[in-house]
Amino acid sequence: MNVSRIALAGGVAASTVLILAGTASAHVSVQPQGEAAKGGYAVINFKVPNERDDAATTKLEVNFPTDHPLASVMPQPVPGWDIKVTTSKLAKPLDMHGKKINEAVSKVTWTADGGKIEPGRFQQFPLSVGQLPEDADQLVFKAIQTYDNKEVVRWIEEQKDGAEEPESPAPVLKLTAATDDAHGAAAASEDKNAAADQPKDEKTTASASSSASDTTARTLGIVGIVIGVAGVAFGVLAGRRRTA
């Protein structure tokens, strides 16, 4: 009996821990589709779960980092949501593809326009962003989530090294190592050339094989005709001998 009670108590405790852990991890986050490589472009998704049982999320505001501004930010349409992109003048212009960029996106806001995030649901808000910085390992986006009961949750706390996760952590986009475009282009070119050469070789081999087959067939045909003619002549001579 005691063992059963202890096991039951342990199970309840474990379930409580899992529930609390699930609740703690249900915050606004950002993840790339694939990789977000330094110096490149990426499609990223802001995932917004609804943490309330009696209210729906109707607005998300994402503030972009000012220490590493992004000149190109393009939102993907989300049915039922209105999107507003806010730009701000930069203190130091960006050099992008040989052009000076004096403004960058400072905020993107999604506001429910017929849609909303109901309790027990989540919504993703995609963006195409770039050019990602080459001198940073991550980008921090501070987000503000608003419910239809006027409650506002600020996901703006930054994670500190060695410290526990804050209660309302800001979404963090991890950046991967930069890719070598020149090397990649060379590899792609080599693969393309190899792919182009392979069918050519196969075609040449097939052609040679077909030619050899045709020659063999013709030779056998001629031999067959000769044998056939000889057979007919032999038959005629044999018939004449019997008659004689």
Side-chain angles (χ1 to χ4, degrees), residues 48-103:
V48 183
N50 192 332
E51 295 186 309
R52 302 294 179 261
D53 296 329
D54 56 354
T57 296
T58 56
K59 184 178 179 181
L60 173 70
E61 178 184 310
V62 174
N63 294 278
F64 282 65
T66 56
D67 55 343
H68 293 97
L70 300 176
S72 175
V73 177
M74 293 185 293
Q76 178 177 319
V78 180
W81 294 80
D82 179 67
I83 307 172
K84 181 181 179 181
V85 178
T86 303
T87 59
S88 299
K89 190 174 182 63
L90 297 173
K92 182 181 179 181
L94 294 175
D95 187 0
M96 188 174 181
H97 304 301
K99 295 182 179 180
K100 294 293 182 181
I101 306 297
N102 296 313
E103 291 186 339

Side-chain angles (χ1 to χ4, degrees), residues 46 60-64 106-110 141-144:
F46 285 91
L60 173 70
E61 178 184 310
V62 174
N63 294 278
F64 282 65
S106 57
K107 180 171 61 176
V108 177
T109 305
W110 290 266
F141 300 87
K142 296 185 178 182
I144 300 175

